[in-house]
């Protein structure tokens, strides 16, 4: 039996062995930034894991969301979306994305946990790994499932941070903050996409891509993953908050640390996009000074 609390990842062979059990819901969670010029729904219709349902981020995100930034929805909105997908409380949810870099699938994993649905895992390697294993896909859009009955969603505030939380933490220093964007964006160097380049004061840099095997679509071995965090200056025994550019990739680091046994990594909802919306928010550029 799959136990998400023990392992939040599921391999292709194990997913294939599950079949289309009525207690399992597979979600294609793919989502792309505008500059990628890709339509996830079109790609879903062209080919997805048999039985998978399309997870529509636009209809299951907060009102402040944009094409480049995702905010959490309200609990009622999440519960309604999950019910419309036929997901009952206690069902196993398997999240995947097309490329298998875990970024947006990891966000789904985090979001389900935020709203009290703990039985959720991420497909290791995503759709790419499924195809590489020689397994078939199906096209089109399947009939809508019968709506599930769900209670109102519970909100786990341990896994979420806001602008006010991060602003107060600059002085308090109670939590470690990790910036998972590229090193260049963290430093505020070059001609990046950020209107206000730099990072939250006191944050350390651990690009989410460094948590993955170079040129592959799976996590590094746990020993290497732990060393990457240590090299970034992260103490796994202390509270940790991660943020990215728009909310789509910081959950990769949360997922990686969950694999290492740290299950309470929080995510800054709205991420750097939200921080920059506040004109009074302080910003640092360049590398931090050595202690």
């Amino acid at each position: 039996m799959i136990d998400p609390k023990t392992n939040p990842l599921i391999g292709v062979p194990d997913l294939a062995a599950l079949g289309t059990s009525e207690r399992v819901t597979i979600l294609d969670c793919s989502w792309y930034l505008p500059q990628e010029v890709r339509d996830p729904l079109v790609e879903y219709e062209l080919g997805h894991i048999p039985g998978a349902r399309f997870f529509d981020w636009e209809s299951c995100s907060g009102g402040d969301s944009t094409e480049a930034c995702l905010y959490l929805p309200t609990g009622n909105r999440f519960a309604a979306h999950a019910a419309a997908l036929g997901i009952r409380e206690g069902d196993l949810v398997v999240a995947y994305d097309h490329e298998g870099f875990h970024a947006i699938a990891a966000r789904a994993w985090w979001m389900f946990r935020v709203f009290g649905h703990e039985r959720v895992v991420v497909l290791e390697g995503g759709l790419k790994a499924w195809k590489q294993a020689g397994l078939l896909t199906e096209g089109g859009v399947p009939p809508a499932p019968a709506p599930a009955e769900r209670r109102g969603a519970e909100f786990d505030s341990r896994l979420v941070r806001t602008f006010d939380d991060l602003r107060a933490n600059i002085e308090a220093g109670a939590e470690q903050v990790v910036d998972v964007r590229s090193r260049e964006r963290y430093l505020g160097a070059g001609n990046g996409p950020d209107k206000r380049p730099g990072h939250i004061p006191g944050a350390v840099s651990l690009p989410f891509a460094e948590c993955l095997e170079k040129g592959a679509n799976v996590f590094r071995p746990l020993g290497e993953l732990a060393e990457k965090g240590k090299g970034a200056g992260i103490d796994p025994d202390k509270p940790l908050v991660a943020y990215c550019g728009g909310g789509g990739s910081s959950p990769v680091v949360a997922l990686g640390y969950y694999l290492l046994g740290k299950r309470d990594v929080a995510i800054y909802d709205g991420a750097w996009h939200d921080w920059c919306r506040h004109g009074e928010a302080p910003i640092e550029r360049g590398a931090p000074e050595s202690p």
Side-chain angles (χ1 to χ4, degrees):
M1 181 171 176
I2 304 298
D3 183 2
K5 290 187 177 180
T6 301
N7 185 1
L9 298 178
I10 185 171
V12 167
D14 288 335
L15 179 58
L18 288 176
T20 54
S21 166
E22 63 178 1
R23 301 295 294 175
V24 177
T25 301
I26 305 173
L27 297 179
D28 184 323
C29 301
S30 302
W31 178 79
Y32 304 107
L33 293 168
Q35 60 266 33
E36 295 179 87
V37 196
R38 295 175 65 175
D39 188 324
L41 179 56
V42 169
E43 294 186 16
Y44 168 81
E45 293 176 354
L46 290 175
H48 52 266
I49 293 174
R53 298 164 192 169
F54 181 71
F55 190 88
D56 185 354
W57 287 103
E58 182 175 345
S59 64
C60 195
S61 292
D64 290 333
S65 297
T66 68
E67 288 184 332
C69 176
L70 297 174
Y71 285 82
L72 283 171
T74 63
N76 287 339
R77 189 169 188 174
F78 170 82
H81 193 77
L85 288 167
I87 301 172
R88 296 172 295 178
E89 293 166 10
D91 283 1
L92 176 66
V93 175
V94 179
Y96 77 86
D97 52 59
H98 277 223
E99 298 304 319
F101 298 127
H102 304 304
I104 198 64
R107 180 177 173 86
W109 165 82
W110 168 70
M111 186 171 71
F112 270 82
R113 292 173 57 239
V114 166
F115 290 113
H117 194 112
E118 293 286 347
R119 286 188 51 75
V120 56
V121 293
V122 172
L123 176 61
E124 181 109 51
L127 184 63
K128 180 177 287 186
W130 182 270
K131 290 180 177 179
Q132 288 173 343
L135 297 171
L136 298 178
T137 61
E138 65 180 10
V141 178
E149 293 186 6
R150 295 184 66 96
R151 296 171 297 181
E154 300 177 2
F155 183 80
D156 190 344
S157 60
R158 299 173 306 161
L159 302 178
V160 184
R161 295 293 181 273
T162 65
F163 170 81
D164 288 340
D165 294 328
L166 271 292
R167 183 68 181 85
N169 189 67
I170 293 176
E171 298 298 329
E175 297 184 309
Q176 302 170 102
V177 179
V178 57
D179 185 322
V180 314
R181 299 172 301 159
S182 69
R183 184 71 173 172
E184 291 73 22
R185 290 181 69 181
Y186 170 83
L187 295 173
N191 297 315
D194 302 312
K195 293 181 179 179
R196 298 181 67 196
H199 57 267
I200 295 174
V204 300
S205 174
L206 178 60
F208 83 93
E210 292 188 7
C211 296
L212 308 171
E213 291 276 19
K214 189 173 182 179
N217 50 358
V218 296
F219 276 101
R220 291 178 180 272
L222 296 187
E224 293 184 15
L225 193 58
E227 283 300 313
K228 284 291 182 181
K230 183 179 179 181
I234 296 171
D235 183 346
D237 295 327
K238 295 181 179 180
L240 182 61
V241 181
Y243 74 91
C244 55
S249 55
S250 51
V252 173
V253 170
L255 181 59
Y257 269 92
Y258 194 104
L259 292 168
L260 293 171
K262 189 173 181 61
R263 301 181 175 183
D264 58 354
V265 176
I267 301 299
Y268 172 22
D269 191 31
W272 187 247
H273 173 88
D274 184 72
W275 190 263
C276 292
R277 286 174 46 184
H278 298 80
E280 78 281 10
I283 289 176
E284 282 184 347
R285 299 183 69 173
E289 295 183 3
S290 300

